[in-house]
Amino acid sequence: MMYTHFKLGLVMLILLFIAGCAPDATVTIDNSAVGVQAAPEVNRRVLGSNMQWTDSGDGILQPGSTGFAAVPLAQAVTLAPTVLRYPGGGQADAYDWRQGVGDVRGECMHVFTGAMQTVYFGTNEFLDLCAQTGAAPMFTLNVVNGTPEDSAAWVSYVNNPPGGSLIARDWEVGNEPYYQNSLHPEWDMTAEEYAAAYNAHAAALIAADPRVRVGLPLLGPLDAALLPAGRQTWNADVLAGLNQRVDFVAVHDAYLPFNYTFVKATDADMLRATLAGAPAVAADLDAIRAQLTAADINAPFAMTEHNALMTVYGTWNPIPRSDGVTCSLAAAVYTTDLICTLAARDDVDSAEHWSLIGNWLFGAMYSDGTMRPSGNALTGLGQAMTGRRLAMQVSSPTVNVPAFGAKPAQTAMPLLGAFACGSDSVVRTILINRSPGRSLRVRLTCSAGANAGAKAAVRTLNALDPLKAYTFGIGAPNWSDGTATTDAGGVTVNVPAHAAVIVSLPAPTGGVTGTD
């Protein structure tokens, strides 16, 4: 009898132990031979960035010269952006490319200060940086002050050296024409005026080099909500006036959560809203896609600017500012989640983080080359996102997230974000915990199995204070390395709250066919 009671008690303990260790979320990855062979290559173009012409390329050059500063250049090479967009941002609206070429440089106006600056970081310096980092160049045209003839001449200068090589394929017609510029109201354009400008610049670009891809800036519901009522039909009005082809659609709807209201932001509000940003962007892209489909346009998206952003510029907003969150762990985790979300879509061509260096709080690194949290996140993603994109099924707990700033309310948002990629030797899974306060025990299962007893590499991006501002990058959150022991089916890992984890799981002996 005592033995029976002991046996029953042991069984109960075992069942309780198993129940206590049950995963909170599961990810099932198709790494079978057929699954990998049929999978597309990982879209590494989502790992792009931005460069401005101003302030010697935000410090990438030595002051007052066209020579690169050694440390920032070395860090840019390490970060290895796959696409670089130039010369802005808003700085494109006052840029004359001719002032930035030749031995004697001219001046252009800094859009935000109104001061004239010598253009040291010009076209050739930008193309040199692209060559040294391995990035594909993307140019943003000045449709405010520039003419179609200026655009055509720039394309010819870049793409028609001796031999006629295609140097730059992507040319974006304007930056954010839908916004009214409070500093330069004379630059404002109606949707009809912009559509006419797009047609003229696009025709000039294509005539100068038919190989180029022409980009059309549009906005989604997240951006449209910030516009006056009369401009909220911008997309429809522009699309109705087009008579030239659209090769990609440039969007900037990922500056989230963007608290533009007069509501004081608590830390809990900011953290929850920032971590919930990527699913909101995905829904926004779906809404823009529906508009494009109705207009019979099948062009892919280019997220030509994205970053975490809390408060708007200007002293008129009386709420306590929270700009530093742009340089926080929460922003780095949001960036990781957003890039994984975009890489999982078939209708996204590229994404460009705003920005590579300096540029107030936005740069992935400070002007001296010190990495900020987003720079560390991008570096880790660049190392992990290789091979083929693997199909997966994710089961995760969900929560309802209230509206905050520009981020709308969300119902049943999954707490776990995931992206899987790999080859015949390794399966890498990027896991993002969107919960501000709950860790997740995640079970990764591979359809082709795993090497039981092998060590999976586990890299974690985490910090004690997710909203701490690392303005100058010193001590910024970075990836920490660990391991987890696999079993025959996969591996179980813990993903801390407001953290990202990269798991590299050895493929089973014999492997599957793929590339890395």
Side-chain angles (χ1 to χ4, degrees), residues 2-16:
M2 288 182 62
Y3 174 78
T4 302
H5 287 166
F6 172 79
K7 187 175 181 180
L8 288 173
L10 181 61
V11 170
M12 289 298 295
L13 285 173
I14 293 173
L15 290 175
L16 287 172

Coordinates of all heavy atoms in Angstrom, one line a residue, residues 2-16:
M2 N 1.9 1.2 0.8 CA 2.8 2.4 0.9 C 3.5 2.6 -0.5 O 3.6 3.7 -0.9 CB 3.9 2.2 2.0 CG 3.3 2.3 3.4 SD 4.6 2.2 4.6 CE 5.6 3.5 4.2
Y3 N 3.8 1.5 -1.1 CA 4.5 1.6 -2.4 C 3.5 2.2 -3.5 O 3.9 3.0 -4.3 CB 4.9 0.2 -2.9 CG 5.5 0.2 -4.3 CD1 6.8 0.7 -4.6 CD2 4.7 -0.2 -5.4 CE1 7.3 0.7 -5.9 CE2 5.2 -0.2 -6.6 CZ 6.4 0.2 -6.9 OH 6.9 0.2 -8.2
T4 N 2.2 1.8 -3.3 CA 1.2 2.3 -4.3 C 1.1 3.8 -4.1 O 1.0 4.6 -5.0 CB -0.1 1.6 -4.1 OG1 0.1 0.2 -4.3 CG2 -1.2 2.2 -5.1
H5 N 1.0 4.2 -2.8 CA 0.9 5.7 -2.5 C 2.1 6.4 -3.0 O 2.0 7.5 -3.5 CB 0.7 5.9 -1.0 CG -0.7 5.5 -0.5 ND1 -1.0 5.3 0.8 CD2 -1.8 5.2 -1.2 CE1 -2.3 4.9 0.9 NE2 -2.8 4.9 -0.3
F6 N 3.3 5.8 -2.8 CA 4.5 6.5 -3.3 C 4.5 6.6 -4.8 O 4.9 7.7 -5.3 CB 5.7 5.7 -2.8 CG 7.0 6.2 -3.4 CD1 7.6 7.3 -2.9 CD2 7.6 5.5 -4.5 CE1 8.8 7.8 -3.4 CE2 8.8 6.0 -5.0 CZ 9.4 7.1 -4.5
K7 N 4.1 5.6 -5.5 CA 4.0 5.6 -6.9 C 3.0 6.6 -7.4 O 3.4 7.4 -8.4 CB 3.7 4.2 -7.4 CG 3.8 4.0 -8.9 CD 3.5 2.6 -9.3 CE 3.6 2.4 -10.9 NZ 3.4 1.0 -11.3
L8 N 1.9 6.7 -6.8 CA 0.9 7.7 -7.2 C 1.4 9.1 -7.0 O 1.2 10.0 -7.8 CB -0.4 7.5 -6.5 CG -1.2 6.3 -6.9 CD1 -2.4 6.1 -6.0 CD2 -1.7 6.4 -8.3
G9 N 2.1 9.3 -5.8 CA 2.6 10.6 -5.5 C 3.7 11.0 -6.5 O 3.8 12.2 -6.9
L10 N 4.5 10.1 -6.9 CA 5.6 10.4 -7.9 C 5.0 10.8 -9.2 O 5.5 11.7 -9.9 CB 6.5 9.1 -8.0 CG 7.7 9.3 -9.0 CD1 8.6 10.4 -8.5 CD2 8.5 8.0 -9.1
V11 N 4.0 10.0 -9.6 CA 3.3 10.4 -10.9 C 2.7 11.8 -10.8 O 2.8 12.5 -11.8 CB 2.2 9.3 -11.2 CG1 1.3 9.8 -12.3 CG2 2.8 8.0 -11.5
M12 N 2.1 12.1 -9.7 CA 1.5 13.4 -9.5 C 2.6 14.5 -9.6 O 2.4 15.5 -10.3 CB 0.8 13.5 -8.2 CG -0.5 12.7 -8.2 SD -1.7 13.3 -9.4 CE -2.0 15.0 -8.9
L13 N 3.8 14.3 -9.0 CA 4.9 15.2 -9.0 C 5.4 15.4 -10.5 O 5.7 16.5 -10.9 CB 6.0 14.8 -8.1 CG 5.8 14.9 -6.6 CD1 6.9 14.3 -5.9 CD2 5.7 16.4 -6.3
I14 N 5.5 14.3 -11.2 CA 5.9 14.3 -12.6 C 4.9 15.1 -13.4 O 5.3 16.0 -14.2 CB 6.1 12.9 -13.1 CG1 7.3 12.2 -12.4 CG2 6.4 13.0 -14.7 CD1 7.5 10.8 -12.8
L15 N 3.7 14.9 -13.2 CA 2.6 15.6 -14.0 C 2.7 17.1 -13.7 O 2.5 17.9 -14.6 CB 1.2 15.0 -13.7 CG 1.0 13.6 -14.3 CD1 -0.4 13.1 -13.8 CD2 1.1 13.6 -15.8
L16 N 2.8 17.4 -12.4 CA 2.9 18.8 -12.0 C 4.1 19.5 -12.6 O 4.1 20.6 -13.0 CB 2.9 18.9 -10.5 CG 1.6 18.7 -9.8 CD1 1.8 18.6 -8.3 CD2 0.6 19.7 -10.1

